[in-house]
Amino acid sequence: MNRLLSLPFLAGLALLALLFVGPIAVARVAAEVGEATDIRRAAYVQSTTCRRCHPDHYDSWYRTFHRTMTQPAGPEAVLGDFNGASYTFQGVTSRFFQQNARYFIETLNTQGQLQTFEIAMTVGSRRVQQYVTRIGDRHVRLPLAWNIEERRWFHLNGGFLHPDGSDFNTHTALWDANCIFCHNVKARPGYDWNTQVFNSGVAQLGIACEACHGPGEEHITRNANPVRRYFLYLEGRDPTIISPLELSQEQQVQVCGHCHGQRLPAPLGRIEEFLAVGDPYTAGDDLNAYTTPIWHDSKLEGIDLSLRFWPDGTARLSAYEYQGILQSKCFTDGEITCNSCHTSHGGSPHGMIREEDRRGNGRCLACHAELAADVGAHTRHAPDSSGSLCYECHMPRLAYGVMTIHRSHRIEIPDPGAHTEAGRPNACTNCHLDKSPVWAAQRAREWWG
């Protein structure tokens, strides 16, 4: 069976099919395949449509947390305890209950009164799940969430790096103008600036096929022709769909950075287009044409964006992984992309890293082969210890988000002295908790100069 499904077999089958339909049909298809295609003008079709021809890719995506990022509230989606549970915060006792597979939270509204809200959508399914209700034309993220790993309710004031004693509804958020952009495919808030009414919609809830591959209608329509499909076995690249792995290095990281890197519209006034028409970015575009990454010196009225970074410009929060890789020499002077370590169609859903790469140095040593012969000589730690894992030193844990500490995606040379002077954690004392930064700096100079 494996032999029959091999590439030579498929190529031979394609050649027979092309010979069967005749030279005129082949010429027509060949000309059509080479035609320029404006994917951005195509419509979105939902991931279930992709499944018909790509069942393996669909199944590998379906098991990810991307799929369940945003879901309609229902028994399969809701993970929190809605069986009469209660939780008290700032003297306010909130209740969580269900009736006939409908879910409700009674809590404090923005007017300071207890109100019962029906849950319309869930956001998140790995570490934390948040809950969205509908109020008039708007979807509102409530300030109470479920800690999936610890199986407990908590208030979002304790989930974000925010001053204690903040107002109960500080983190009540407008889903239509915030969460919608990164947690779904092709956000369209539909805001009318005259009537101030939202008519929001998305191409698909959650992060699905077309978030990374672009809209699929043109791809599906053209490939309804079996001759075209067989021709592509010989010709190769199909211009009607985006393959992230075939994009340029910069475009590849932009596909991920579109959501894994907080950004501002460029220019800022473009926010009117974002809220009215929708997110203009489509996979394969130049993300810089529409937005600019937030940096420690970025300006936004009423918000101190510098607090999201350590003083040396390294991100101190998650969702800034894009900024980290842009700051890395592995990117600026090398060929690394997000796909160098992560994959959307394999490995563990927890981090989307290939199983063979999760606990080793394979990905790093693929480029730094000169270190592979004697890793311990480079790290000055036992080769089989955590001190010899590349990412422990070059991607230390120093970014906070969703109730845990994440690895920095700014791949850098550890410099405990400089990092301590810059007012941020350093890789050495992250592990050697009984040692001082002075000790770490001295030892680094002794070992590496």
Side-chain angles (χ1 to χ4, degrees):
M1 180 61 70
N2 290 335
R3 182 182 61 82
L4 292 178
L5 294 179
S6 65
L7 287 177
F9 172 79
L10 292 175
L13 185 63
L15 180 60
L16 289 174
L18 295 176
L19 292 174
F20 178 77
V21 299
I24 296 178
V26 171
R28 186 185 307 118
V29 170
E32 183 270 334
V33 166
E35 289 179 359
T37 302
D38 186 358
I39 295 177
R40 300 185 78 254
R41 298 177 65 88
Y44 288 78
V45 295
Q46 300 275 308
S47 56
T48 50
T49 310
C50 307
R51 184 181 190 180
R52 295 202 300 260
C53 295
H54 306 283
D56 292 344
H57 283 84
Y58 177 90
D59 290 344
S60 60
W61 159 79
Y62 192 86
R63 60 193 281 270
T64 69
F65 295 108
H66 273 164
R67 176 184 66 86
T68 52
M69 178 57 71
T70 308
Q71 302 176 87
E76 293 186 2
V78 173
L79 301 178
D81 181 2
F82 280 82
N83 296 312
S86 63
Y87 171 71
T88 301
F89 178 79
Q90 290 186 353
V92 177
T93 298
S94 302
R95 295 194 309 117
F96 311 86
F97 59 96
Q98 58 177 300
Q99 296 175 353
N100 301 321
R102 295 167 63 192
Y103 299 84
F104 301 87
I105 297 179
E106 181 187 56
T107 192
L108 200 68
N109 63 23
T110 54
Q111 289 75 47
Q113 301 170 331
L114 284 177
Q115 181 176 342
T116 298
F117 300 94
E118 181 172 0
I119 303 308
M121 293 184 292
T122 65
V123 176
S125 63
R126 180 184 175 185
R127 293 189 176 94
V128 168
Q129 187 166 77
Q130 303 172 60
Y131 298 95
V132 178
T133 188
R134 178 154 188 155
I135 303 175
D137 64 296
R138 304 180 179 215
H139 295 87
V140 177
R141 195 264 319 267
L142 296 173
L144 296 150
W146 177 253
N147 187 318
I148 297 169
E149 296 177 329
E150 300 179 9
R151 298 196 57 77
R152 65 179 177 86
W153 288 102
F154 71 99
H155 195 281
L156 288 178
N157 281 15
F160 291 94
L161 295 179
H162 207 80
D164 292 342
S166 299
D167 181 79
F168 188 91
N169 277 292
T170 293
H171 292 291
T172 297
L174 184 58
W175 181 89
D176 308 273
N178 295 283
C179 321
I180 189 174
F181 285 105
C182 282
H183 294 164
N184 307 283
V185 179
K186 204 61 175 180
R188 299 186 183 95
Y191 185 64
D192 188 317
W193 287 88
N194 294 318
T195 63
Q196 299 184 5
V197 170
F198 281 93
N199 183 24
S200 61
V202 298
Q204 184 170 346
L205 290 175
I207 297 128
C209 309
E210 293 164 294
C212 302
H213 296 281
E217 182 193 49
E218 185 76 7
H219 178 69
I220 290 171
T221 299
R222 291 201 190 185
N223 284 294
N225 181 353
V227 177
R228 185 179 196 276
R229 297 199 302 273
Y230 285 123
F231 187 87
L232 286 171
Y233 280 124
L234 301 176
E235 180 67 17
R237 183 75 191 98
D238 186 348
T240 64
I241 202 72
I242 293 296
S243 173
L245 294 177
E246 296 181 4
L247 296 174
S248 69
Q249 180 192 23
E250 183 176 23
Q251 287 175 311
Q252 283 192 46
V253 300
Q254 287 178 346
V255 170
C256 302
H258 176 238
C259 291
H260 291 276
Q262 293 288 304
R263 297 159 291 112
L264 294 173
L268 277 176
R270 196 168 198 164
I271 188 63
E272 295 189 6
E273 175 191 348
F274 274 71
L275 291 178
V277 180
D279 187 350
Y281 174 78
T282 298
D285 283 349
D286 178 6
L287 186 60
N288 296 324
Y290 311 114
T291 61
T292 185
I294 292 174
W295 299 105
H296 70 285
D297 56 355
S298 296
K299 306 298 180 184
L300 187 61
E301 186 176 355
I303 299 178
D304 185 356
L305 296 174
S306 69
L307 296 177
R308 304 182 182 192
F309 299 83
W310 297 104
D312 70 344
T314 303
R316 65 190 302 180
L317 298 177
S318 61
Y320 287 82
E321 293 79 14
Y322 177 56
Q323 282 86 333
I325 199 170
L326 293 182
Q327 293 173 310
S328 303
K329 283 192 175 183
C330 292
F331 175 78
T332 58
D333 298 345
E335 300 179 355
I336 197 172
T337 70
C338 308
N339 291 303
S340 299
C341 300
H342 300 274
T343 173
S344 296
H345 295 288
S348 168
H350 297 81
M352 306 181 79
I353 298 176
R354 299 169 185 85
E355 198 60 38
E356 62 270 23
D357 298 329
R358 295 193 72 201
R359 296 290 181 265
N361 294 329
R363 286 287 151 181
C364 299
L365 296 179
C367 291
H368 300 278
E370 72 280 4
L371 302 177
D374 192 349
V375 171
H378 170 67
T379 65
R380 304 301 179 98
H381 288 72
D384 58 350
S385 71
S386 61
S388 283
L389 292 173
C390 304
Y391 46 76
E392 292 292 359
C393 297
H394 297 280
M395 299 177 67
R397 295 183 184 275
L398 49 75
Y400 173 80
V402 284
M403 307 293 286
T404 192
I405 306 298
H406 302 266
R407 295 196 179 281
S408 169
H409 276 62
R410 182 177 188 173
I411 306 169
E412 59 187 355
I413 297 174
D415 189 340
H419 292 164
T420 300
E421 289 181 2
R424 50 157 280 192
N426 72 83
C428 300
T429 56
N430 265 9
C431 291
H432 297 278
L433 301 178
D434 59 332
K435 303 295 184 181
S436 71
V438 172
W439 168 87
Q442 290 174 342
R443 189 56 58 89
R445 281 197 297 271
E446 292 172 10
W447 285 349
W448 299 297

